[in-house]
């Protein structure tokens, strides 16, 4: 699958005063990197591409799986724009990263839909952001074990420079810089999910 992500790593960003941003968030944010309008327009195009690929298969049964909680907003914007040709259903995936006791190796604990709900279906994993790649690696492993007909991945933001494990992403929204990002569903300690735009968090917040 050919993906044509928008690379914003060398692009100008915006100040928090150039868009509508909650006053309480402003001191915590460094810059706005992508505005809501751009994110939504990009998701529309991703939805079009995903739909195109389902029309190629006659008996396709699309199952869209939202990786909680960060991808909720992406999922909510993406899925109404899909026009699958066959059956369509939805579900959720829980994933959280942890570090193994003695080693410094990072793994992700994942819970996926039960076998009977995804067996034989074309599963589309909808994830907010890929960083080192461990989370999606575990998700794909767990989903594949339930015998779906196919597995594809849609990721809104890709921190490509930090990848530790190789993963094929079918649909990528934006390639983003190596900074801690919040907004458009992404949180820091459960805050900022309701910020409409993608922003970088100020380092003072991360230390504090
Ligand atoms: P990975 O396993 O690819 O290193 O990590 C992916 C997960 O880490 C994402 O699903 C997300 O929950 C979290 N994550 C990685 N980078 C960021 C970031 O910049 N901001 C936020 N809010 N979460 C991130
Ligand atoms: Mg996530």
């Amino acid at each position: 699958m050919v993906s044509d992500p928008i690379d914003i790593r060398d692009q100008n960003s915006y100040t928090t005063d150039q868009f509508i941003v909650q006053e309480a968030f402003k001191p915590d944010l460094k810059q706005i990197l992508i505005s809501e309008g751009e994110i939504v327009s990009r998701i529309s195009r991703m939805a079009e591409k995903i739909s195109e690929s389902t029309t190629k298969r006659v008996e396709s049964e699309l199952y869209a799986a939202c990786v909680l909680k960060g991808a909720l907003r992406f999922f909510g914007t993406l899925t109404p724009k899909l026009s699958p040709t066959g059956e369509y259903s939805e579900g959720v995936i829980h994933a959280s990263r942890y570090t193994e006791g003695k080693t410094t190796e990072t793994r992700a604990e994942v819970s996926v839909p039960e076998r009977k709900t995804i067996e034989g279906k074309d599963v589309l994993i909808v994830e907010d952001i890929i960083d080192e790649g461990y989370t999606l690696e575990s998700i794909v492993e767990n989903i594949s074990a339930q015998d779906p007909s196919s597995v594809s991945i849609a990721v809104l933001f890709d921190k490509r420079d930090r990848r530790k494990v190789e993963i094929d992403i079918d649909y990528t929204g934006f390639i983003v810089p190596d900074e801690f990002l919040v907004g458009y569903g992404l949180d820091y300690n459960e805050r900022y999910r309701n910020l409409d735009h993608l922003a970088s968090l100020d380092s003072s917040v991360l230390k504090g």
Side-chain angles (χ1 to χ4, degrees), residues 3-202:
S3 176
D4 55 350
I6 298 173
D7 191 343
I8 64 142
R9 285 174 296 184
D10 295 320
Q11 271 181 34
N12 288 333
S13 35
Y14 317 101
T15 69
T16 52
D17 283 325
Q18 289 173 318
F19 291 99
I20 295 176
V21 169
Q22 290 90 325
E23 285 301 325
F25 292 166
K26 283 186 181 174
D28 299 350
L29 306 177
K30 206 164 103 189
Q31 283 166 320
I32 303 289
L33 300 185
I34 314 174
S35 72
E36 181 192 20
E38 290 172 294
I39 298 172
V40 172
S41 299
R42 181 66 188 147
I43 295 173
S44 299
R45 180 70 179 119
M46 292 171 81
E48 200 173 56
K49 288 206 163 192
I50 294 165
S51 299
E52 275 167 22
S53 86
T54 70
T55 56
K56 288 187 193 127
R57 268 176 269 147
V58 192
E59 297 276 308
S60 118
E61 256 194 79
L62 185 61
Y63 183 96
C66 177
V67 184
L68 296 177
K69 293 182 256 180
L72 271 170
R73 186 155 179 171
F74 174 32
F75 192 84
T77 307
L78 178 78
T79 55
K81 297 174 193 278
L82 295 174
S83 35
T85 45
E87 286 296 318
Y88 172 80
S89 52
E90 296 179 348
V92 295
I93 294 170
H94 297 259
S96 55
R97 293 254 322 237
Y98 65 92
T99 305
E100 270 174 352
K102 284 179 194 146
T103 64
T104 51
E105 218 171 318
T106 315
R107 295 259 171 276
E109 191 175 301
V110 170
S111 71
V112 299
E114 51 182 352
R115 174 179 293 265
K116 65 176 182 195
T117 60
I118 55 174
E119 198 173 17
K121 295 191 180 146
D122 295 306
V123 176
L124 173 72
I125 299 166
V126 181
E127 172 67 306
D128 51 358
I129 185 165
I130 179 167
D131 185 16
E132 294 179 325
Y134 294 110
T135 305
L136 269 169
E137 184 184 49
S138 300
I139 290 171
V140 170
E141 251 174 50
N142 282 269
I143 292 277
S144 301
Q146 315 278 50
D147 293 322
S149 169
S150 69
V151 180
S152 55
I153 305 173
V155 166
L156 189 52
F157 307 115
D158 181 355
K159 274 194 200 172
R160 192 162 288 186
D161 301 327
R162 285 178 39 91
R163 196 81 84 255
K164 293 271 174 61
V165 286
E166 211 179 299
I167 296 191
D168 266 335
I169 311 286
D170 304 87
Y171 311 95
T172 305
F174 300 88
I175 302 173
V176 294
D178 175 13
E179 294 193 72
F180 196 86
L181 307 173
V182 294
Y184 210 82
L186 296 172
D187 76 310
Y188 177 65
N189 290 340
E190 294 303 326
R191 291 193 87 205
Y192 317 106
R193 287 195 201 277
N194 57 337
L195 169 68
D196 289 331
H197 320 287
L198 185 76
S200 51
L201 201 62
D202 199 87

